């Protein structure tokens, strides 16, 4: 009994019929045929989620953390020189796509990936790397069954403490990489925007960096903000992910953010990735560290350079300590010390799980899957309709006078989908809600998310009913909510936008009542 699936199916049928009609009517307009075919195919392909943010903010680390294995390179600025486009495949493989489209895409062995993403000093290699548009990587990883993940080089940025080679690199390639990243963000169906800030810098001006071109096209329903590297605040908070939540919640509630992002989540990406991929050797080092007397550990673990220094009084080699710091960060090491010594947890799997739980990654992963995953078709369709609308204007200008009316007719029919389909009305209401324009109570806002499929698309999910609820019980629940929202849509003390929104929600319930009554 999958209701949204069913509505999605109906919507899909209508959209497909329109594409078939448009293709059949326009054999004499090649530019239109090409655009229509491209968009038609696009709807059949997986949703594309791009990871965007400044260079070195931790994009590739989050990407690997979501995949729960090391697929893309992380680290020095030079490591993310190209766009990595990951999609599901039963075997690991890669294909290089070039900027010059006359150069056909070229399959290569997966092992080439690291070389293809690292910048080289050799001018010949460098010229070759710059000729690449993106690297498509097929990989057998479960999350890629839900959507493609696109790792971007990042936006130009300079940090006070950047090393000279980083500054040189950014001076030389920053603009180029910024352009590439912006293009990917614009082409993706949905985007994760990463940013990282010190506590003292976390105010509304934080969001200035998001106002430019990059998020020009972000809509709350297809964009999530991620505050990463929050482990840097481990001295201010016992649990930094939880600690900064107060700040991210406040930010997420501000008018400015509600227009851009669905929400903002705090994450310690490095810790999440390290916990998921900890090796037996790293765990052994961790257990040895946990055996250090508390006073000595405190002195050592205060800062990374102290922790990793050569020390005659510590038997664990500096190299192994350094490896641990690189993989878990000082917060991760301090947390693991507590987990082992205070909670008495000593199994690798259990320690890793406890660390992961403090990274905020589980919440991010679940949000991406529910928020993007459950609305995939609609998010893709929305993007396609936007692109088509632009293409129609351009094509109409260039066709013979005799064909202009035909192009307009088809453009109009596509436009009607957005205007008529209830799912788009729901998205419009979601938009108003995110922008804070609706006079809704808290539970009403939650209900809006529920009924638009945030938590799943079965009747039970939409109505928030227990799994064993009967058809009659579901229908009764839908009728009750229908009454509630109808009444609200007639409350003339409310503003027009809120009344319209209540009407749309009432209609959402009405559809369920109708389907269940069949
Ligand atoms: N402490 C800490 N370091 C991180 C975190 N995420 C990434 N890093 C480090 O920041 C550097 C840049 O990360 P990377 O993922 O390559 O950034 P990208 O350029 O945005 O892809 C690497 O040295 C990472 O180990 C984090 O959550 N905490
Ligand atoms: Mg990167």
């Amino acid at each position: 009994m999958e209701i949204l699936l069913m509505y999605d199916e109906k919507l899909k049928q209508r959209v497909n019929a329109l594409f078939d009609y448009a293709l059949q009517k326009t054999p004499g307009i090649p530019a239109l045929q090409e655009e229509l075919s491209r968009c038609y195919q696009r709807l059949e392909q997986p949703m594309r989620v791009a990871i965007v943010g400044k260079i070195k903010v931790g994009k590739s680390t989050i990407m690997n953390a979501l995949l729960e294995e090391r697929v893309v390179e992380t680290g020095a600025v030079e490591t993310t020189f190209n766009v990595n486009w990951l999609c599901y495949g039963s075997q690991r493989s890669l294909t290089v796509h070039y900027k010059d489209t006359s150069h056909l895409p070229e399959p290569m062995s997966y092992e080439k990936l690291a070389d293809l993403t690292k910048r080289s000093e050799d001018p010949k290699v460098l010229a070759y790397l710059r000729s690449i548009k993106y690297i498509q990587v097929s990989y057998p990883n479960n999350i890629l069954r839900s959507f493609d993940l696109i790792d971007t080089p990042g936006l130009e940025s300079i940090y006070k403490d950047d090393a000279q080679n980083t500054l040189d690199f950014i001076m030389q390639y920053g603009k180029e990489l910024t352009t590439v990243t912006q293009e990917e963000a614009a082409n993706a169906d949905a985007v994760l925007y990463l940013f990282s800030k010190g506590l003292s810098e976390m105010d509304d001006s934080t969001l200035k960096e998001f106002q430019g071109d990059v998020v020009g096209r972000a809509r709350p329903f297809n964009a999530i903000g991620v505050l990463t590297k929050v482990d840097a605040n481990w001295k201010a908070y016992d649990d930094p992910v939880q600690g900064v939540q107060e700040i991210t919640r406040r930010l997420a509630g501000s008018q400015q953010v509600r227009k851009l992002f669905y929400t903002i989540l705090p994450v310690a990406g490095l810790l999440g990735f390290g916990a998921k991929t900890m090796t037996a050797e790293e765990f052994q080092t961790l257990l040895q560290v946990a055996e250090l007397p508390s006073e000595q550990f405190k002195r050592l673990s205060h800062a990374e350079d102290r922790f990793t220094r050569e020390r005659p009084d510590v038997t664990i080699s500096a190299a192994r300590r350094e490896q641990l710091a690189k993989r878990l960060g000082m917060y991760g090491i301090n947390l693991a010390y507590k987990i082992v010594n205070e909670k008495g947890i000593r199994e690798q799997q259990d320690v890793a799980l406890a660390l992961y739980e403090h990274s905020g990654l589980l919440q991010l992963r679940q949000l991406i899957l529910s928020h993007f995953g459950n609305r995939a078709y609609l998010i893709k369709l929305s993007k396609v309709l936007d692109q088509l609308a632009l293409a129609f204007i351009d094509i109409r200008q260039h066709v013979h006078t005799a064909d202009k009316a035909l192009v307009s007719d088809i453009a109009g029919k596509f436009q009607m989908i957005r205007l008529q389909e209830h799912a788009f009305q729901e998205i419009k209401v979601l938009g108003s809600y995110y922008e804070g324009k609706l006079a809704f109570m808290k539970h009403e806002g939650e209900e809006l998310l529920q009924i638009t499929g945030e938590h799943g698309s079965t009747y039970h999910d939409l109505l928030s009913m227990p799994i064993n609820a009967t058809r009659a019980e579901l229908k009764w629940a839908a009728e009750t909510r229908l009454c509630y929202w109808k009444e609200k849509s007639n409350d003339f003390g409310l503003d027009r936008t809120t009344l319209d929104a209540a009407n749309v929600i009432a209609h959402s319930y009405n559809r369920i009542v109708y389907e269940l009554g069949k």
Side-chain angles (χ1 to χ4, degrees):
M1 275 215 276
E2 297 235 309
I3 193 163
L4 247 180
L5 209 88
M6 208 172 61
Y7 290 152
D8 261 10
E9 277 312 318
K10 280 190 186 163
L11 179 59
K12 247 184 224 172
Q13 278 171 9
R14 175 175 180 186
V15 170
N16 290 355
L18 180 54
F19 271 107
D20 293 339
Y21 166 85
L23 282 166
Q24 188 218 329
K25 283 275 179 184
T26 58
I29 314 174
L32 186 58
Q33 290 269 312
E34 199 178 303
E35 186 64 21
L36 285 168
S37 307
R38 197 185 60 77
C39 286
Y40 201 178
Q41 279 169 18
R42 186 61 206 85
L43 289 174
E44 292 304 315
Q45 292 158 357
M47 181 164 87
R48 300 167 185 173
V49 180
I51 304 183
V52 174
K54 289 184 172 175
I55 293 170
K56 257 178 56 171
V57 75
K59 296 178 296 299
S60 302
T61 303
I62 290 278
M63 173 99 150
N64 285 334
L66 288 171
L67 294 162
E68 303 185 344
E69 55 188 315
R70 180 184 296 283
V71 180
V72 295
E73 291 285 314
T74 60
V77 282
E78 293 89 341
T79 54
T80 313
F81 199 66
N82 279 309
V83 172
N84 289 319
W85 187 319
L86 271 70
C87 51
Y88 186 82
S90 55
Q91 308 276 326
R92 295 174 188 192
S93 69
L94 65 83
T95 308
V96 178
H97 294 253
Y98 297 96
K99 287 177 185 156
D100 174 0
T101 45
S102 66
H103 195 165
L104 288 179
E106 197 176 345
M108 288 185 194
S109 88
Y110 174 79
E111 283 61 42
K112 282 255 156 60
L113 184 60
D115 290 343
L116 286 168
T117 36
K118 251 182 235 158
R119 182 180 66 118
S120 163
E121 294 297 335
D122 180 342
K124 257 195 177 156
V125 179
L126 189 57
Y128 172 72
L129 294 181
R130 291 174 79 181
S131 75
I132 295 174
K133 185 163 162 57
Y134 63 93
I135 299 160
Q136 188 185 351
V137 183
S138 292
Y139 206 90
N141 183 292
N142 250 342
I143 201 168
L144 297 173
R145 288 180 192 267
S146 300
F147 30 68
D148 292 358
L149 282 174
I150 302 165
D151 188 21
T152 62
L155 309 165
E156 200 173 8
S157 67
I158 305 267
Y159 295 98
K160 287 190 290 286
D161 55 350
D162 272 341
Q164 192 57 43
N165 68 336
T166 303
L167 296 176
D168 291 346
F169 174 83
I170 289 172
M171 282 297 279
Q172 211 174 347
Y173 302 104
K175 291 249 156 16
E176 191 176 323
L177 300 183
T178 298
T179 309
V180 168
T181 301
Q182 286 173 335
E183 278 173 15
E184 288 306 324
N187 283 330
D189 298 304
V191 182
L192 291 185
Y193 284 100
L194 265 57
F195 62 109
S196 145
K197 283 275 143 108
L199 287 183
S200 57
E201 306 162 287
M202 290 283 287
D203 53 30
D204 288 357
S205 70
T206 307
L207 297 150
K208 287 231 168 67
E209 67 179 83
F210 290 122
Q211 315 267 280
D213 283 350
V214 190
V215 287
R217 273 174 266 190
R219 298 281 173 271
F221 81 95
N222 76 356
I224 293 174
V226 179
L227 175 66
T228 186
K229 297 192 177 179
V230 299
D231 56 314
N233 307 301
W234 69 277
K235 285 181 189 154
Y237 299 105
D238 264 359
D239 182 332
V241 171
Q242 251 184 22
V244 304
Q245 229 157 41
E246 192 189 316
I247 300 173
T248 53
R249 282 212 189 104
R250 186 173 50 74
L251 274 178
S254 77
Q255 284 285 22
Q256 236 182 342
V257 176
R258 290 172 72 140
K259 283 183 195 163
L260 296 175
F261 300 131
Y262 170 65
T263 190
I264 298 179
L265 283 187
V267 161
L270 188 71
L271 179 63
F273 176 63
K276 275 287 167 192
T277 56
M278 199 191 309
T279 65
E281 187 184 343
E282 284 161 0
F283 184 64
Q284 283 315 312
T285 314
L286 201 60
L287 284 184
Q288 279 175 284
V289 169
E291 268 157 29
L292 296 172
S294 132
E295 275 310 309
Q296 189 185 21
F297 176 74
K298 246 189 210 150
R299 275 199 314 276
L300 271 178
S301 67
H302 193 66
E304 183 163 339
D305 60 342
R306 276 199 218 176
F307 185 77
T308 55
R309 213 175 286 164
E310 287 292 350
R311 287 181 177 273
D313 57 332
V314 179
T315 51
I316 313 158
S317 75
R320 289 182 71 167
R321 280 180 274 133
E322 203 177 321
Q323 168 69 7
L324 204 60
K326 199 176 93 192
R327 295 271 290 135
L328 295 178
M330 290 322 293
Y331 168 56
I333 292 172
N334 275 271
L335 183 59
Y337 189 89
K338 271 198 224 159
I339 289 169
V340 175
N341 289 309
E342 289 172 20
K343 300 220 168 113
I345 301 176
R346 301 190 64 88
E347 293 295 325
Q348 179 171 345
Q349 210 181 333
D350 301 336
V351 173
L353 184 67
L355 290 174
Y356 186 71
E357 277 169 359
H358 284 85
S359 72
L361 248 131
L362 184 66
Q363 288 76 3
L364 178 65
R365 210 183 140 88
Q366 279 171 349
L367 182 74
I368 297 173
L369 284 166
S370 68
H371 185 70
F372 291 158
N374 288 337
R375 297 191 176 100
Y377 184 74
L378 213 54
I379 292 179
K380 281 189 295 185
L381 180 60
S382 177
K383 188 91 200 174
V384 158
L385 291 177
D386 279 351
Q387 288 177 345
L388 276 175
L390 285 177
F392 284 133
I393 295 173
D394 188 47
I395 291 166
R396 196 177 176 280
Q397 274 176 356
H398 294 97
V399 293
H400 300 299
T401 319
D403 286 334
K404 285 196 195 298
L406 179 60
V407 175
S408 297
D409 168 57
I410 290 172
K413 287 192 159 71
F414 275 101
Q415 206 181 357
M416 286 316 273
I417 290 188
R418 198 185 274 284
L419 293 176
Q420 288 172 342
E421 284 291 333
H422 187 67
F424 284 108
Q425 312 274 343
E426 288 180 340
I427 283 193
K428 225 172 107 190
V429 173
L430 275 177
S432 307
Y433 171 70
Y434 295 138
E435 286 172 30
K437 285 186 187 154
L438 302 181
F440 276 12
M441 283 176 282
K442 193 162 179 278
H443 74 90
E444 292 172 330
E446 280 158 14
E447 200 177 326
L448 167 65
L449 295 179
Q450 186 96 39
I451 192 68
T452 54
E454 179 82 12
H455 307 304
S457 50
T458 66
Y459 286 105
H460 295 81
D461 295 330
L462 296 176
L463 298 167
S464 187
M465 290 289 278
I467 192 93
N468 56 356
T470 63
R471 193 179 176 98
E473 285 165 342
L474 292 173
K475 184 155 176 276
W476 182 81
E479 279 163 354
T480 312
R481 299 320 297 157
L482 171 60
C483 281
Y484 177 92
W485 287 98
K486 260 204 174 139
E487 204 166 293
K488 186 155 177 115
S489 72
N490 284 317
D491 177 349
F492 291 107
L494 295 170
D495 61 281
R496 190 74 254 162
T497 317
T498 304
L499 293 179
D500 288 346
N503 221 344
V504 170
I505 299 173
H507 187 69
S508 304
Y509 285 110
N510 205 5
R511 293 210 302 177
I512 301 181
V513 172
Y514 173 77
E515 292 294 338
L516 288 172
K518 270 186 188 168

